[in-house]
Amino acid sequence: MILADKFLFRDSVLQFLRFAMISGVGWILDVCSYYLLYKYFFMSPAWANVISSFLAITFVWFTSVSRVFGFSGVGKVAGVFYYWIYQSISILLYSFILLFVYHQMVDQSVFTVLKIHAEIGAKVFVTPFNLATNFIFMKYLMSHLDFLIKHHDR
């Protein structure tokens, strides 16, 4: 690996770690609102996930765009539309996966014995996959944000 590649790799790892930390705060917001919607508003796990995820991704977008990727001003607002489109698809996909995992966990008596709530266990299970795909897309979007801003202003 040449020196420039090492720096690019290191920068990407640091970017991912910053993104993961911000996403961790978003995840806490997500899980808390998810649990409240499920437990106290009697929503299905899939619908609770859709709503709680949207709250979290909006927070993550506006925080990471500047703190992780170094954009400010117009970049924050112009790109959020594209991020919401991506996230709409991602949230629906992961909500169906979450629902499948939830039902698998409910069918397993291990979770009852360990006193782990299946709705939280399912959320924890899908989170690492969701984090990785979100970072990959956001990094891609940030690399094309200048083009998107110019296209958006037309």
Side-chain angles (χ1 to χ4, degrees), residues 129-145:
F129 303 104
N130 198 3
L131 174 66
T133 55
N134 288 347
F135 177 73
I136 291 167
F137 181 79
M138 193 152 183
K139 190 162 177 68
Y140 173 81
L141 183 58
M142 291 298 106
S143 69
H144 293 83
L145 193 58

Side-chain angles (χ1 to χ4, degrees), residues 80-98:
V80 73
F81 174 74
Y82 298 100
Y83 196 59
W84 283 341
I85 291 171
Y86 159 77
Q87 284 294 347
S88 295
I89 295 164
S90 176
I91 289 169
L92 287 175
L93 175 65
Y94 280 109
S95 293
F96 287 117
I97 294 169
L98 183 142

